[in-house]
């Protein structure tokens, strides 16, 4: 066969090889090469069969790099079948294989004498195997890929020389299923030079797109297939929600159709194809944000990659605050808190805080605490108190607090809060006020029960109102005939929670309503209760209204009963009984009054009998002494607890008789109990009992938490409203009315002998027989022989020991003055002698500061020289009740004179308008020691003095409160007199 080849052709072919070589296109980065004949420097050693066919020949490429080629040119002989088989090619991941052939092929026309045998094509085959097979070529095991023809062949050059053109053909095989394959070239009589064979497959190379990494991906097996590939987020990036990154690898090894993406996590931002941490002082709160932002106001961070910044000390981020807003702090306290009290309702109003803490969600909350009169003892108000519109979360700067207790001391704190208040550990800032509620009338009597219904009478009982707001001294039962056109009301009064209404018509429907009365006045009527009296008894019984015999009999029986009652009462505690008619607010009332009379224990031969007549003997084991609270004449006064069988444990005051007492001392000591035990009134201190059968001997009294009134007032100087003070006075007057009604003359009524309980209820106390003589440090011996508390005592009692209820009224007037001046000493530091002299000369105490004129007038009335001209306690209670009901009458014009000009009482009051100098005036009021103070401050005329305010007086350096008050009272009187004289107002 070799003899039939054309060797000269090869030379030409080789010489020209460099001219037709591919000029070296850069290898496509998407291709993975499995075989490249050009790249192999050594012999290829492919299998050629028959050996005379394909021949391996070395050549040079364009860079003169040696290459290996195969040639065949058996064109002269017919029936050529020359096979060339490549080495085994492992396919790897490939599914579609590309075969690129570069070859030259001589056209038969250019070869002389080859007609008939020369061919211009060759065939390409492949065989799939899992491993290398033997060197034999079995044609039938090969699959034909294609017949390859040349596009170009040798052509004539411009200069007549022959140029060989390089043909490039690419064929694709696949999908392949075995591990590898062989390629085979079948020559059937052509003149071919196989310059290079390249076998490759295509891949999409790893890439980062949208912050996701897509790995190297082999293309699909089909020409049209796209391979979907999931991306992996680069570090510090995360997939966007519901949008995971995907791409598609095309058959051509190109990434197509990107879907979804990754985004940099919180604290990181994108730089190129990576996520970088935010720098110090910057943050990125969410992966959604594109950029890192600078830390907002009042926050910082000192590390990289932060998703938020930390708040500076004292600043906070609210729970719902995004990291992008500035850190804030709790607001300052609300400002300008003002309040208004209306009985048991307190309205509070304030201005917003100066500093809202940098937020606009400021609201307000109210803290209410009820305090005992000891300032430390405050407890939260609890759920009984109402707030309008609400207690917390207030947007507006006001609130009304309702249903407070009357006569109580409250502290309200108004706190401004914002979204970070509860996070802050700093101290709460609030505005606070302490308020004492005024007296309030009792709430409604709602539960009324008909106990007994007769033809002419109905007995009712009821529960005390839920909020008595004080001590209920009386109930008023109002009733009328239901069917009566011109509804005429009748009223009946009762001191207990039941009453029988008499003189009703039989078979008649009546409507009843009940209201309670306290020092604060009447409460509102409760709901109506309709009750019908029983039918008239049968006609055979003659009506008592018509039958004189029955009337006489009834009168006789009633008379006998009353007589028995009176006699019996005289023995065990004398009582006055009888019908009494009173008029209250136009309602005429008729009620049966029964008043006990006081019995002087001294009238008992055996004082021990008197004690046991009026006082209950207590078992000492029921009493527990806790602490000493005062010193009495006969021993210590202690507080403690008492628990009687079947009763609730209660606080008590215990007066003890010191050891080593004489029989007389014991008698005198127990005498107080014998007196006190006869009294039963809400404004008279109540005796619980005595312990005489053990030691120490004790008198057990109800416990009055706030002690004696004078000390209590001094302690709470200026803290009560006028209504509250008048409420206290009303209580004392009611207690005194009761005592005087019983025929008891106190003789030592003074604020120090009035006790105050925790509800501010005042009760008259100190009933010892010898008290005025021995017990009272205020009592002094007078020329009339006895020991008398001069400043509190009426002239006739000082002068000739005429002690009566009228002299108690005088003392009551002094108590009024003590109360209104918060425990000031009557007549200040004047000596007793001077007091007696001044009183005899007609001088009376001026109105205390801010004392309503009406009250001072009542004091002056109590100090009438002629005791018959003084009001009775009953009248005093009435006057005070009217004042309480009409608080307007208690208003004092601020800074104006409160001293009324009364011709009767004024005649003896020093006439300040007659003084010629400040010195003379100071002398008259015994304050001449301050003469220099006035001069130094430039107060040279009485006119200038009359214009002075309390602040001016204090600025003179007068530090004693008593002296300040005395001077101020005198100035007020002086001003009133000037006003009276000249009709000119003096503005202070
Ligand atoms: P007396 O011996 O009654 O003057 O009492 C002496 C002091 O004991 C009084 O000034 C009160 O401070 C106190 N005291 C007397 N009785 C009571 C009481 N019932 N409750 C509370 N303190 C009382």
């Amino acid at each position: 066969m070799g003899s039939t080849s054309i060797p000269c052709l090869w030379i030409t072919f080789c010489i020209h090889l460099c001219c037709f070589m591919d000029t070296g296109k850069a290898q496509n980065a998407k291709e993975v090469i499995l075989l490249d004949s050009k790249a192999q420097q050594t012999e290829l050693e492919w299998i050629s069969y028959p050996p005379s066919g394909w021949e391996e020949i070395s050549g040079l490429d364009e860079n003169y790099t040696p290459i290996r080629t195969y040639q065949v040119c058996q064109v002269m002989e017919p029936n050529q079948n020359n096979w060339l088989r490549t080495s085994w090619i492992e396919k790897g991941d490939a599914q579609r294989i590309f075969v690129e052939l570069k070859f030259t092929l001589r056209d038969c026309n250019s070869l002389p004498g080859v007609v008939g045998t020369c061919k211009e094509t060759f065939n390409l085959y492949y065989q799939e195997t899992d491993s290398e097979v033997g060197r034999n070529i079995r044609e039938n095991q090969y699959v034909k890929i294609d017949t390859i023809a040349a596009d170009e062949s040798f052509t004539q050059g411009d200069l007549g020389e022959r140029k060989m053109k390089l043909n490039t053909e690419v064929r694709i095989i696949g999908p392949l299923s075995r591990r590898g394959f062989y390629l085979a070239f079948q020559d059937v009589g052509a003149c071919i030079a196989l310059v290079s064979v390249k076998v490759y497959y295509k891949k999409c190379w790893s890439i980062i797109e949208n912050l996701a990494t897509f790995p190297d991906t082999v293309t699909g097996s089909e020409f049209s297939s796209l391979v979907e590939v999931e991306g992996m987020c680069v570090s510090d990036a995360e997939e966007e929600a519901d949008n995971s990154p995907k791409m598609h690898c095309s058959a051509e090894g190109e990434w197509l159709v990107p879907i979804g993406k990754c985004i940099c996590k919180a604290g990181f931002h994108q730089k190129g194809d990576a996520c970088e941490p935010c720098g110090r002082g910057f943050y990125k709160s969410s992966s959604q944000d594109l950029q890192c932002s600078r830390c907002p106001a009042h926050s910082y961070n000192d590390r990289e990659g932060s998703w938020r910044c930390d708040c500076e000390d004292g600043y906070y981020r609210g729970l719902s605050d995004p990291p992008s807003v500035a850190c804030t702090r709790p607001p300052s306290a609300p400002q300008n808190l003002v309040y208004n009290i209306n009985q048991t309702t307190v309205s509070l109003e304030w201005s917003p805080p100066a500093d809202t803490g940098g937020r606009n969600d400021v609201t307000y909350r109210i803290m209410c605490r009820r305090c005992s009169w000891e300032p430390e003892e405050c407890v939260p108000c609890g759920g009984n108190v109402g707030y309008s519109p609400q207690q917390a979360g207030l947007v507006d700067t006001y609130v009304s607090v309702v249903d407070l207790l009357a006569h109580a001391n409250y502290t309200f704190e108004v706190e401004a809060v914002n979204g970070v208040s509860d996070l802050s550990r700093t101290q709460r800032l609030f505005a606070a006020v302490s308020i004492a509620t005024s007296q309030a009338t009792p709430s409604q009597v709602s539960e009324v029960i008909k106990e007994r219904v007769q033809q002419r009478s109905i007995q009712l009982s009821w529960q005390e109102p839920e909020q008595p707001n004080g001590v209920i001294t009386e109930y008023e039962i109002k009733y009328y005939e239901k069917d009566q056109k011109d509804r005429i009301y009748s009223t009946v009064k009762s001191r207990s929670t039941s009453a029988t209404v008499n003189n009703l018509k039989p078979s008649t429907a009546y409507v009843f309503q009940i209201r309670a009365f306290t020092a604060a006045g009447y409460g509102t009527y409760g709901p109506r209760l309709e009750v019908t009296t029983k039918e008239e008894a049968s006609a055979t019984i003659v009506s008592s209204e018509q039958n004189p015999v029955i009337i006489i009999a009834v009168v006789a029986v009633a008379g006998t009963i009353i007589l028995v009652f009176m006699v019996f009462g005289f023995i065990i505690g004398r009582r006055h009984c009888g019908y009494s008619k009173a008029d209250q607010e136009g309602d005429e009332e008729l009620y049966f009054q029964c008043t006990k009379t006081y019995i002087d224990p001294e009238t008992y031969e055996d004082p021990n009998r008197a004690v046991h007549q009026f006082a209950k003997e207590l078992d000492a084991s029921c009493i527990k002494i806790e602490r000493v609270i005062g010193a009495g004449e006969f021993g210590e006064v202690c507080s403690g607890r008492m628990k009687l069988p079947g009763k609730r444990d209660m606080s008590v005051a215990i007066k003890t008789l010191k050891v080593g007492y004489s029989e007389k001392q014991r008698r005198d000591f127990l005498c107080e109990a014998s007196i006190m035990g006869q009294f039963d009134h809400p404004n008279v201190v109540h005796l619980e009992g005595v312990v005489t059968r053990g030691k120490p001997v004790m008198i057990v009294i109800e416990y009055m938490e706030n002690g004696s009134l004078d000390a209590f007032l001094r302690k709470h100087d200026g803290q009560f409203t006028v209504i509250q003070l008048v409420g206290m006075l009303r209580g004392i007057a009611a207690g005194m009315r009761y005592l005087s009604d019983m025929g008891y003359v106190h003789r030592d009524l003074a604020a120090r002998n009035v006790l105050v309980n925790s509800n501010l209820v005042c009760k008259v106390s100190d009933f010892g027989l010898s008290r005025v003589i021995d017990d009272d440090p205020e009592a002094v011996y007078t020329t009339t022989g006895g020991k008398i508390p001069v400043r509190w005592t009426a002239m006739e009692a000082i002068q000739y020991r005429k002690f009566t209820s009228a002299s108690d009224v005088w003392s009551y007037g002094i108590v009024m003055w003590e109360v209104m001046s918060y425990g000031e000493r009557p007549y200040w530091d004047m000596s007793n002698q001077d007091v007696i002299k001044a009183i005899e000369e007609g001088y009376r105490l001026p109105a205390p500061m801010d004392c309503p004129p009406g009250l001072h007038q009542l004091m002056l009335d109590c100090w009438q020289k002629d005791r018959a001209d003084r009001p009775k306690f009953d009248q005093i209670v009435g006057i005070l009740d009217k004042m309480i009901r009409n608080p307007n009458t208690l208003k004092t014009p601020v800074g104006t004179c409160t001293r009324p000009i009364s011709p009767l009482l004024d005649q003896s009051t020093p006439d300040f308008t007659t003084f010629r100098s400040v010195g003379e005036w100071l002398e008259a009021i015994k304050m001449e020691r301050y003469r220099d103070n006035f001069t130094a401050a430039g107060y040279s005329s009485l006119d200038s003095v009359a214009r002075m305010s309390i602040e001016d007086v204090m600025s003179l350096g007068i530090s004693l409160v008593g002296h300040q008050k005395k001077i101020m009272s005198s100035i007020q009187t002086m001003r009133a007199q000037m006003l009276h004289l000249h009709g000119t107002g003096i503005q202070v």
Side-chain angles (χ1 to χ4, degrees):
M1 283 252 260
S3 59
T4 56
S5 60
I6 305 174
C8 63
L9 279 179
W10 294 117
I11 297 151
T12 315
F13 177 76
C14 295
I15 291 166
H16 286 92
L17 194 59
C18 56
C19 311
F20 56 67
M21 288 302 295
D22 182 2
T23 46
K25 263 204 279 167
Q27 189 189 324
N28 190 336
K30 291 175 267 181
E31 296 168 358
V32 181
I33 295 179
L34 298 176
L35 169 76
D36 187 0
S37 62
K38 261 175 82 182
Q40 192 160 331
Q41 306 292 303
T42 56
E43 286 192 0
L44 290 169
E45 291 186 338
W46 291 353
I47 292 170
S48 173
Y49 179 84
S52 57
W54 293 91
E55 200 176 354
E56 185 168 351
I57 293 178
S58 295
L60 295 171
D61 72 2
E62 72 276 22
N63 300 319
Y64 298 97
T65 308
I67 55 167
R68 314 295 300 174
T69 67
Y70 277 92
Q71 299 179 11
V72 66
C73 197
Q74 303 290 354
V75 290
M76 308 297 276
E77 295 288 327
N79 305 322
Q80 291 297 315
N81 187 20
N82 304 311
W83 284 76
L84 174 67
R85 191 191 78 179
T86 62
S87 49
W88 189 66
I89 304 165
E90 197 170 338
K91 85 171 166 62
D93 300 331
Q95 305 206 50
R96 285 174 84 228
I97 304 287
F98 292 78
V99 180
E100 183 198 80
L101 304 176
K102 293 195 179 199
F103 63 92
T104 58
L105 205 139
R106 283 195 71 159
D107 104 46
C108 290
N109 290 335
S110 67
L111 298 170
V114 294
V115 180
T117 54
C118 179
K119 301 285 184 302
E120 289 183 346
T121 62
F122 63 95
N123 298 318
L124 180 63
Y125 291 86
Y126 76 103
Q127 181 194 2
E128 270 195 276
T129 61
D130 281 326
S131 59
E132 288 186 50
V133 294
R135 296 181 65 84
N136 289 337
I137 298 172
R138 293 206 183 91
E139 288 182 32
N140 60 357
Q141 289 177 349
Y142 286 83
V143 179
K144 184 170 175 180
I145 300 168
D146 205 357
T147 297
I148 312 291
D151 290 335
E152 310 280 350
S153 53
F154 290 105
T155 51
Q156 196 83 29
D158 291 342
L159 298 172
E161 99 260 48
R162 290 180 171 274
K163 276 194 173 175
M164 197 111 69
K165 283 274 183 169
L166 186 68
N167 295 286
T168 302
E169 293 292 328
V170 177
R171 296 292 181 271
I172 298 169
I173 51 174
L176 299 180
S177 53
R178 300 277 176 91
R179 279 186 58 224
F181 61 95
Y182 294 99
L183 286 179
F185 306 91
Q186 183 195 27
D187 164 52
V188 285
C191 193
I192 314 160
L194 198 52
V195 177
S196 83
V197 177
K198 190 168 88 175
V199 180
Y200 61 90
Y201 62 90
K202 288 190 180 175
K203 229 183 185 183
C204 293
W205 291 105
S206 163
I207 143 173
I208 296 177
E209 180 81 27
N210 288 335
L211 293 178
T213 308
F214 295 88
D216 286 354
T217 305
V218 177
T219 57
S221 57
E222 301 297 326
F223 173 68
S224 58
S225 68
L226 288 179
V227 179
E228 188 184 270
V229 182
E230 301 233 340
M232 280 252 305
C233 292
V234 298
S235 68
D236 301 316
E238 64 190 25
E239 286 180 6
E240 200 177 51
D242 299 327
N243 205 9
S244 54
K246 281 184 194 139
M247 285 249 269
H248 297 86
C249 178
S250 74
E252 286 307 306
E254 278 169 349
W255 288 108
L256 299 176
V257 204
I259 297 172
K261 61 177 175 177
C262 294
I263 43 182
C264 289
K265 288 179 181 167
F268 293 83
H269 68 124
Q270 184 174 356
K271 191 147 189 213
D273 279 337
C275 291
E276 285 193 347
C278 299
R280 287 183 190 158
F282 286 82
Y283 75 101
K284 200 188 94 171
S285 62
S286 151
S287 53
Q288 304 294 326
D289 298 336
L290 288 178
Q291 297 299 329
C292 299
S293 308
R294 197 175 283 282
C295 287
H298 301 298
S299 70
Y300 69 98
N301 75 37
D302 45 19
R303 46 183 202 281
E304 293 188 331
S306 298
W307 68 272
R308 65 170 203 164
C309 302
D310 298 325
C311 290
E312 289 168 8
D313 268 359
Y315 286 85
Y316 308 90
R317 193 166 273 129
L319 296 177
S320 57
D321 286 355
S324 58
V325 304
C327 292
T328 50
R329 58 181 171 185
S332 57
Q335 308 179 93
N336 311 323
L337 176 60
V338 292
Y339 65 90
N340 193 11
I341 317 173
N342 182 4
Q343 294 212 353
T344 55
T345 296
V346 168
S347 313
L348 301 169
E349 221 175 310
W350 57 90
S351 318
D355 174 13
T356 61
R359 305 182 64 90
N360 53 13
D361 58 354
V362 174
T363 60
Y364 305 93
R365 62 184 171 210
I366 312 297
M367 172 76 186
C368 166
R369 280 181 297 149
R370 189 158 81 88
C371 303
S372 67
W373 296 99
E374 295 300 326
E376 289 80 9
E377 290 172 21
C378 295
V379 289
C381 295
N384 295 335
V385 170
Y387 301 84
S388 173
Q390 67 233 26
Q391 186 177 8
L394 287 161
V395 179
D396 294 318
T397 55
Y398 55 82
V399 72
S400 290
V401 189
V402 300
D403 296 337
L404 296 167
L405 296 179
H407 263 325
N409 208 8
Y410 285 93
T411 298
F412 295 98
E413 292 166 6
V414 182
E415 189 186 1
V417 289
N418 63 17
V420 297
S421 292
D422 290 338
L423 304 171
S424 158
R425 288 169 299 279
T426 53
Q427 216 185 341
R428 291 170 58 223
L429 298 172
F430 50 80
V433 279
S434 288
I435 298 173
T437 50
S438 55
Q439 295 216 118
T441 53
S443 62
Q444 281 192 357
V445 174
S446 46
E447 283 176 54
V448 184
I449 300 164
K450 49 181 184 196
E451 295 283 359
R452 232 156 70 99
V453 180
Q454 303 282 53
Q455 290 165 10
R456 292 175 184 279
S457 69
I458 292 171
Q459 190 187 352
L460 301 173
S461 75
W462 55 90
Q463 295 282 315
E464 195 177 81
E466 234 168 66
Q467 284 170 341
N469 293 335
V471 176
I472 294 174
T473 51
E474 215 162 53
Y475 290 94
E476 185 187 74
I477 302 104
K478 175 171 94 170
Y479 63 97
Y480 56 87
E481 272 179 50
K482 191 185 165 210
D483 300 326
Q484 202 177 48
K485 272 207 200 94
D486 45 352
R487 229 166 239 187
I488 297 166
Y489 296 101
S490 302
T491 56
V492 168
K493 305 222 168 167
S494 169
R495 289 203 173 124
S496 66
T497 52
S498 68
T500 304
V501 181
N502 296 307
N503 300 324
L504 303 175
K505 291 185 198 159
S507 313
T508 309
Y510 285 91
V511 174
F512 294 89
Q513 274 179 289
I514 300 177
R515 62 179 178 172
F517 182 78
T518 64
Y522 282 106
T524 48
Y525 281 112
R528 286 159 217 274
L529 173 74
E530 193 183 316
V531 187
T532 306
T533 46
K534 279 195 177 158
E535 274 181 26
E536 183 102 59
S538 77
T540 51
I541 297 175
V542 185
S543 156
S544 64
E545 281 160 34
Q546 293 148 11
N547 188 332
V549 180
I550 290 179
I551 293 171
I552 291 163
V554 168
V555 168
V557 169
T560 314
I561 291 168
I562 290 168
L563 200 67
V564 167
F565 218 79
M566 288 175 74
V567 170
F568 187 67
F570 190 79
I571 295 165
I572 62 151
R574 286 167 234 153
R575 284 165 196 263
H576 295 305
C577 295
Y579 282 98
S580 153
K581 201 174 173 193
D583 189 40
Q584 189 116 35
E585 282 192 323
D587 284 340
E588 183 151 291
E589 60 186 72
L590 196 65
Y591 62 100
F592 192 70
Q593 270 189 335
C594 239
T595 319
K596 276 201 298 181
T597 307
Y598 159 74
I599 302 165
D600 186 345
E602 295 256 288
T603 59
Y604 279 76
E605 260 178 39
D606 177 3
N608 265 332
R609 245 202 72 219
V611 176
H612 290 111
Q613 177 86 55
F614 302 115
K616 189 163 130 192
E617 179 70 30
L618 300 168
D619 187 343
S621 65
C622 303
I623 298 152
K624 200 170 118 211
I625 294 178
E626 284 174 341
R627 63 190 172 100
V628 177
I629 52 170
E633 188 202 348
F634 299 97
E636 272 111 22
V637 182
C638 306
S639 65
R641 317 280 310 166
M642 180 172 80
K643 169 83 182 79
L644 294 178
K647 294 235 171 108
R648 275 179 40 193
D649 161 88
M650 64 187 288
S651 295
V652 286
I654 304 145
K655 288 190 171 186
T656 57
L657 177 61
K658 59 190 165 228
V659 286
Y661 52 84
S662 66
E663 189 46 39
K664 177 167 181 320
Q665 280 173 322
R666 180 178 193 272
R667 216 176 36 232
D668 289 350
F669 173 70
L670 289 174
C671 193
E672 182 174 14
S674 307
I675 298 170
M676 209 189 295
Q678 297 183 50
F679 306 141
D680 180 17
H681 188 273
N683 296 105
V684 176
V685 76
H686 178 72
L687 176 77
E688 296 297 339
V690 291
V691 178
T692 61
R693 297 188 186 127
K695 283 193 181 163
V697 176
M698 296 185 262
I699 299 177
V700 182
I701 312 163
E702 69 174 303
Y703 183 56
M704 301 292 285
E705 293 84 347
N706 283 313
S708 49
L709 178 60
D710 61 333
F712 175 67
L713 288 171
R714 281 196 280 271
K715 193 166 159 200
H716 298 285
D717 192 355
Q719 293 177 5
F720 301 117
T721 60
V722 171
I723 291 271
Q724 279 177 306
L725 297 174
V726 175
M728 296 180 202
L729 288 174
R730 197 268 177 202
I732 303 165
M736 288 308 294
R737 175 179 65 181
Y738 173 82
L739 295 176
S740 69
D741 282 354
M742 281 196 65
Y744 178 80
V745 178
H746 192 288
R747 295 178 176 222
D748 195 9
L749 177 59
R752 64 183 168 280
N753 289 328
V754 171
L755 294 171
V756 188
N757 74 6
S758 58
N759 291 327
L760 246 71
V761 176
C762 291
K763 307 198 181 195
V764 179
S765 84
D766 218 353
F767 302 106
L769 267 191
S770 58
R771 71 204 179 281
V772 178
I773 303 152
D774 303 317
D775 188 16
D776 193 337
E778 285 290 349
V780 291
Y781 287 101
T782 61
T783 47
T784 53
K787 226 179 155 191
I788 285 173
V790 168
R791 285 155 212 272
W792 282 263
T793 309
M795 286 163 80
E796 72 278 7
I798 298 173
Q799 284 167 353
Y800 47 96
R801 301 191 58 75
K802 183 72 188 162
F803 286 98
T804 57
S805 288
S807 64
D808 278 349
V809 165
W810 179 292
S811 310
Y812 178 79
I814 302 291
V815 172
M816 284 183 75
W817 192 91
E818 288 184 278
V819 169
M820 298 313 293
S821 61
Y822 284 95
E824 176 62 283
R825 181 168 163 73
Y827 312 98
W828 305 279
D829 56 358
M830 285 167 73
S831 69
N832 281 330
Q833 275 318 308
D834 285 346
V835 170
I836 294 170
K837 207 166 141 247
I839 295 295
E840 276 172 358
E841 284 171 5
Y843 180 81
R844 296 291 182 271
L845 281 167
M849 245 204 305
D850 296 331
C851 170
L855 281 176
H856 187 234
Q857 185 57 59
L858 186 55
M859 295 176 204
L860 294 172
D861 291 346
C862 294
W863 303 325
Q864 289 279 11
K865 189 173 178 193
D866 187 343
R867 67 177 186 278
D869 292 337
R870 294 173 205 155
K872 305 282 176 287
F873 279 116
D874 193 32
Q875 292 169 300
I876 294 173
V877 172
I879 292 167
L880 294 177
D881 280 344
K882 278 212 176 94
M883 287 180 175
I884 291 165
R885 274 201 292 274
N886 304 301
N888 281 343
T889 60
L890 292 171
K891 288 221 168 100
T892 320
V894 178
T896 58
C897 173
T898 53
R899 170 83 164 87
I901 308 301
S902 153
L904 173 72
L905 296 165
D906 229 15
Q907 61 195 5
S908 53
T909 306
D911 185 351
F912 294 105
T913 57
T914 62
F915 294 126
R916 276 162 302 160
S917 70
V918 176
E920 226 175 88
W921 161 66
L922 286 171
E923 227 168 89
I925 61 167
K926 301 213 166 352
M927 291 282 120
E928 60 269 36
R929 74 186 75 172
Y930 296 118
R931 191 194 302 252
D932 291 346
N933 303 47
F934 277 80
T935 316
Y939 291 99
S940 51
S941 70
L942 285 166
D943 264 0
S944 62
V945 168
R947 288 187 165 80
M948 287 177 82
S949 65
I950 182 70
E951 287 80 20
D952 296 335
V953 173
M954 283 157 72
S955 71
L956 295 182
I958 301 170
S959 53
L960 290 175
V961 178
H963 290 181
Q964 289 168 1
K965 288 188 176 175
K966 183 176 181 183
I967 290 167
M968 207 50 223
S969 281
S970 178
I971 288 173
Q972 286 175 340
T973 310
M974 186 193 310
R975 211 183 286 153
Q977 286 174 342
M978 286 176 172
L979 188 70
H980 190 61
L981 204 71
H982 311 298
T984 52
I986 293 169
Q987 293 292 315
V988 177

